[in-house]
Amino acid sequence: MVRAAGILMPITSLPSPYGIGTLGQTARDFIQFLEKSGQTYWQILPICPTGYGDSPYQSSSTFAGNPYMIDLNDLVLEGLLQRADFENFSWGDEPEKIDYKLQYEQRFAVLKKSVGNVSTNMADSLAAFLQTEAYWLDDYALYMAVKNHFGGTAWSQWPEPVRLRDTNKLEELKTTLAEDILFWKTIQFLFFHQWNKLKAYASQHHIQIIGDLPIYVSEDSADVWAHPEQFQLNEELRPTEISGCPPDGFSEDGQLWGNPLFNWDYMKENEFSWWITRIAHQMKIYDVLRIDHFRGFDSYFAIPYGDKTAKNGVWRKGPGIDFFQTVKEKLGDLPIIAEDLGFLTDSVHQLLKETGFPGMKVLEFAFDTRDTGYGYLPHCYTRNCIVYTGTHDNETINGWFETAPEEDTANAIRYLRLTKEEGYHWGMMRSAWASVSDTAIMQMQDLLGLGHEARINTPSTLSDNWTWRCKPEDISDELAKQLYEEMKIYERLPQI
């Protein structure tokens, strides 16, 4: 394995004139920045539609792309929109924050103007997409059309024949809502048309994209509505237990994620076919796949449905190595990163070892007095791991030094020999690059030396998450040159 490096940067956090990062020119500019910086990887967050709390981990579909990421300028260049269709819209007063309410209220009205032009100008490509992606697209588009038909309510609140997917009622709705169904299919065509072009551009510039697959899906999603047998639901299709994690030093009540849990017994009987389809879809999109909450495949935390905290949850057995052996049999050896963070047991460590996947090491965890920090200090690393200073669920480095207990930060300063002259954030990143880990991934906010204000997400909270955006001048040649020299020193330049 060759030593390599990358940057964690959500697509939505890129600069653009339209309130949110997109798949257009600024994404291509960022790929050029990565190449000039001597990086190998661009790690992103899930690209599926955002859901409850604007979270990409609570999506209406595990297969669909986020319509907000469709670049309007590129639609103009392809003759699918006119600039007058959107140039007078306001996309928010704070260019460094995403206003999801404005995106929801305005983006679809603009995109609707391009749909008819797609049918005219790109009819053959659209028809091929509708056929190739029908295995998920038909259910998703019907779900979105029906959801709009019922005023945006969750599918669990729909009339019983629709909620329980009565065949005659669904056929009736497919006829009644045919125009809206085609709209949602065409939106997905536009997304993946632009995504595939961006992915090809990244490959041309020798940048590999690391995607992110949430382990769970949202209850209010096309996935659960269309495939209720895959989940732990009762006769009324309500969850019996939901996902989360137990109380710990970070959260007194634990975390209540709220996703329905998988019916692993049913899935195993069917050779995990739903999961095989899901992972195969992801591997069409990305070069490398990070699987979120890896420990949930060993054992998962189950909380009674309706509880307000995670205190009454219990651990239940997951599918274990049988799952990953089946994935390998069906799909071959895949480039997967295991997000093995959280409460880990010997059996989780054993499962990681049996899969051979690289796990994750987070430097901020190494100095946390609420935990032992075991395994997160650089002298404990092995080559087969990915080192981060922090992830999207953690503080930025400077934010961590602002908010962590003084004992923790003092330990970090002492162990890593950090100095204010160099900058604590730079010294911490340098220590990660210098480590034995084959791969080191840094957050863009840390490269920019930003503080708490640039944190992406604070788990178990709903306010002001997923909104941070960088400024155009942040993606600079000066920073690229500085990074390139660090990659050269620590032998992490790409081997092209």
Side-chain angles (χ1 to χ4, degrees):
M1 186 82 178
V2 177
R3 287 169 63 81
I7 295 176
L8 171 56
M9 174 67 159
I11 292 173
T12 51
S13 295
L14 291 167
S16 85
Y18 309 114
I20 195 167
T22 67
L23 305 174
Q25 187 58 50
T26 51
R28 294 188 287 272
D29 291 344
F30 189 69
I31 288 169
Q32 291 182 33
F33 169 81
L34 291 168
E35 184 181 32
K36 292 175 186 174
S37 302
Q39 307 298 301
T40 299
Y41 298 109
W42 179 7
Q43 181 169 334
I44 60 175
L45 297 186
I47 58 174
C48 46
T50 51
Y52 180 68
D54 304 317
S55 171
Y57 294 88
Q58 293 285 352
S59 180
S60 55
S61 170
T62 189
F63 296 93
N66 187 342
Y68 300 159
M69 294 183 189
I70 297 172
D71 188 77
L72 304 183
N73 286 334
D74 280 8
L75 293 181
V76 172
L77 291 174
E78 295 208 71
L80 302 176
L81 270 185
Q82 296 182 22
R83 203 164 297 282
D85 292 332
F86 58 85
E87 64 183 359
N88 293 324
F89 281 78
S90 169
W91 298 99
D93 299 325
E94 296 183 74
E96 293 171 42
K97 292 283 186 181
I98 300 167
D99 187 329
Y100 285 98
K101 183 172 182 289
L102 271 180
Q103 292 293 326
Y104 178 78
E105 292 171 347
Q106 298 184 165
R107 177 72 63 158
F108 295 108
V110 174
L111 293 175
K112 198 158 195 175
K113 296 178 181 180
S114 69
V115 167
N117 293 327
V118 172
S119 298
T120 302
N121 300 352
M122 307 174 75
D124 291 345
S125 296
L126 175 61
F129 177 81
L130 299 186
Q131 182 176 2
T132 303
E133 305 301 319
Y135 65 93
W136 66 269
L137 186 61
D138 290 353
D139 286 326
Y140 169 74
L142 178 61
Y143 163 84
M144 292 301 296
V146 173
K147 190 177 183 68
N148 281 357
H149 180 67
F150 290 121
T153 56
W155 71 264
S156 59
Q157 305 302 314
W158 296 349
E160 185 172 299
V162 188
R163 183 166 56 84
L164 301 182
R165 294 178 63 84
D166 175 78
T167 302
N168 292 331
K169 185 61 179 177
L170 291 190
E171 290 303 316
E172 177 188 325
L173 285 169
K174 287 176 184 178
T175 302
T176 306
L177 303 176
E179 184 177 345
D180 205 25
I181 290 169
L182 180 59
F183 166 77
W184 289 105
K185 288 183 177 181
T186 308
I187 291 298
Q188 287 304 305
F189 167 77
L190 288 173
F191 176 90
F192 283 105
H193 175 67
Q194 291 194 355
W195 173 265
N196 291 335
K197 288 173 67 176
L198 183 68
K199 177 67 170 54
Y201 189 85
S203 296
Q204 290 165 12
H205 290 268
H206 313 290
I207 298 299
Q208 298 182 50
I209 297 178
I210 302 176
D212 194 313
L213 181 63
I215 183 174
Y216 294 121
V217 299
S218 172
E219 178 186 358
D220 186 21
S221 67
D223 308 296
V224 180
W225 179 59
H227 302 283
E229 72 283 352
Q230 306 287 344
F231 302 89
Q232 296 182 28
L233 309 177
N234 62 21
E235 292 181 357
E236 293 298 310
L237 302 187
R238 314 290 187 198
T240 53
E241 294 176 314
I242 56 174
S243 65
C245 63
D248 57 19
F250 301 93
S251 175
E252 183 179 345
D253 293 330
Q255 295 180 29
L256 200 65
W257 300 337
N259 310 80
L261 298 168
F262 296 115
N263 184 346
W264 285 118
D265 290 339
Y266 177 89
M267 287 182 160
K268 184 174 182 179
E269 289 173 8
N270 290 272
E271 297 186 292
F272 305 106
S273 59
W274 182 85
W275 266 99
I276 298 298
T277 301
R278 188 185 188 200
I279 292 176
H281 178 82
Q282 303 296 317
M283 295 313 304
K284 288 195 305 183
I285 299 172
Y286 307 122
D287 296 294
V288 182
L289 185 63
R290 188 195 89 125
I291 295 184
D292 177 56
H293 197 57
F294 175 83
R295 68 105 56 246
F297 294 95
D298 175 69
S299 58
Y300 59 91
F301 200 63
I303 303 160
Y305 183 67
D307 276 20
K308 302 301 181 186
T309 74
K311 291 183 176 180
N312 295 320
V314 296
W315 288 103
R316 301 197 186 283
K317 185 67 177 169
I321 194 61
D322 286 350
F323 172 81
F324 292 105
Q325 287 175 338
T326 304
V327 170
K328 184 174 181 178
E329 289 168 9
K330 301 289 186 180
L331 301 177
D333 284 313
L334 299 177
I336 286 174
I337 297 171
E339 189 268 300
D340 59 335
L341 306 176
F343 174 68
L344 304 183
T345 62
D346 289 343
S347 58
V348 178
H349 291 299
Q350 180 61 29
L351 179 61
L352 182 66
K353 182 178 179 181
E354 290 177 3
T355 64
F357 300 150
M360 293 173 56
K361 304 296 183 184
V362 178
L363 260 178
E364 287 179 12
F365 291 172
F367 309 102
D368 198 313
T369 51
R370 293 170 296 184
D371 202 346
T372 62
Y374 175 75
Y376 294 111
L377 287 165
H379 69 261
C380 298
Y381 295 173
T382 61
R383 290 183 59 189
N384 188 36
C385 70
I386 319 293
V387 59
Y388 299 77
T389 49
T391 75
H392 64 275
D393 281 335
N394 306 123
E395 280 283 5
T396 65
I397 297 174
N398 284 342
W400 183 76
F401 277 99
E402 294 166 11
T403 58
E406 187 175 349
E407 181 182 355
D408 296 5
T409 58
N411 285 341
I413 292 168
R414 182 170 55 251
Y415 179 93
L416 299 174
R417 301 293 192 264
L418 304 179
T419 65
K420 290 184 178 179
E421 290 74 21
E422 180 185 24
Y424 290 166
H425 66 293
W426 207 258
M428 204 164 183
M429 291 188 294
R430 177 178 44 73
S431 300
W433 290 319
S435 74
V436 72
S437 299
D438 281 329
T439 306
I441 307 286
M442 302 299 115
Q443 290 197 91
M444 187 64 181
Q445 305 97 295
D446 291 332
L447 293 167
L448 297 172
L450 301 179
H452 172 75
E453 75 285 352
R455 181 171 183 164
I456 295 291
N457 177 53
T458 303
S460 297
T461 68
L462 287 176
S463 62
D464 205 32
N465 291 323
W466 318 108
T467 63
W468 174 76
R469 299 180 70 203
C470 71
K471 302 188 290 291
E473 59 268 27
D474 289 337
I475 305 173
S476 68
D477 286 342
E478 182 182 356
L479 178 57
K481 290 176 183 176
Q482 188 178 8
L483 269 175
Y484 186 90
E485 288 305 314
E486 296 291 346
M487 299 307 100
K488 189 175 181 181
I489 290 169
Y490 296 110
E491 298 183 331
R492 293 191 179 275
L493 291 173
Q495 304 297 308
I496 298 172

